[in-house]
Amino acid sequence: SQSQGIQQLLQAEKRAAEKVADARKRKARRLKQAKEEAQMEVEQYRREREQEFQSKQQAAMGSQGNLSTEVEQATRRQVQGMQSSQQKNRERILAQLLGMVCDVRPQVHPNYRIAA
């Protein structure tokens, strides 16, 4: 009867050890699952924030793009205005320059002193 009691105790201890091992395995699985879920949540949050950042950046860059387009258009208008003005006044300015260069009137400078 004593050996039978010892056998029962050993069996009970073995069952308890198996239950503890099963509990540890379940706990490890739950921890792993919780970790994966947390990682998925973090990844989803990161994607949402990245998408929000991209949309804000696109909005900001879009307005800068419009500004650069407006500046380019204004610059083109100014260049076209200058070119048309140059075309209109070209002949007159050339004639004026040629007249000044080619029409040389020799005369004595007022500061020139004749040494006597």
Side-chain angles (χ1 to χ4, degrees):
S1 92
Q2 219 178 23
S3 73
Q4 194 176 22
I6 292 175
Q7 288 296 328
Q8 286 178 348
L9 283 174
L10 287 174
Q11 287 176 356
E13 188 177 329
K14 187 176 179 182
R15 284 191 304 265
E18 288 174 357
K19 286 186 180 184
V20 168
D22 286 342
R24 285 184 180 151
K25 287 179 186 176
R26 283 194 309 269
K27 180 181 177 184
R29 272 185 275 156
R30 280 195 313 248
L31 284 173
K32 186 177 179 182
Q33 184 181 7
K35 193 181 222 181
E36 288 173 356
E37 288 174 1
Q39 186 65 29
M40 287 172 43
E41 286 180 20
V42 166
E43 192 63 30
Q44 181 181 357
Y45 179 75
R46 187 192 64 76
R47 280 193 302 264
E48 289 173 2
R49 298 299 288 177
E50 182 70 25
Q51 190 175 24
E52 184 179 324
F53 171 74
Q54 292 293 336
S55 65
K56 286 183 180 180
Q57 185 180 28
Q58 189 69 7
M61 293 303 282
S63 65
Q64 288 178 356
N66 292 342
L67 290 176
S68 65
T69 304
E70 290 176 16
V71 168
E72 286 178 26
Q73 289 174 351
T75 304
R76 278 195 206 109
R77 285 193 299 270
Q78 287 179 344
V79 168
Q80 287 173 349
M82 288 180 196
Q83 287 175 342
S84 65
S85 174
Q86 186 261 343
Q87 288 296 326
K88 277 193 265 183
N89 298 321
R90 181 178 182 179
E91 293 300 322
R92 184 176 57 85
I93 297 297
L94 278 175
Q96 198 175 23
L97 282 172
L98 286 174
M100 289 179 173
V101 170
C102 294
D103 187 22
V104 178
R105 294 184 194 149
Q107 54 181 315
V108 177
H109 195 273
N111 293 334
Y112 181 72
R113 291 187 189 166
I114 299 176

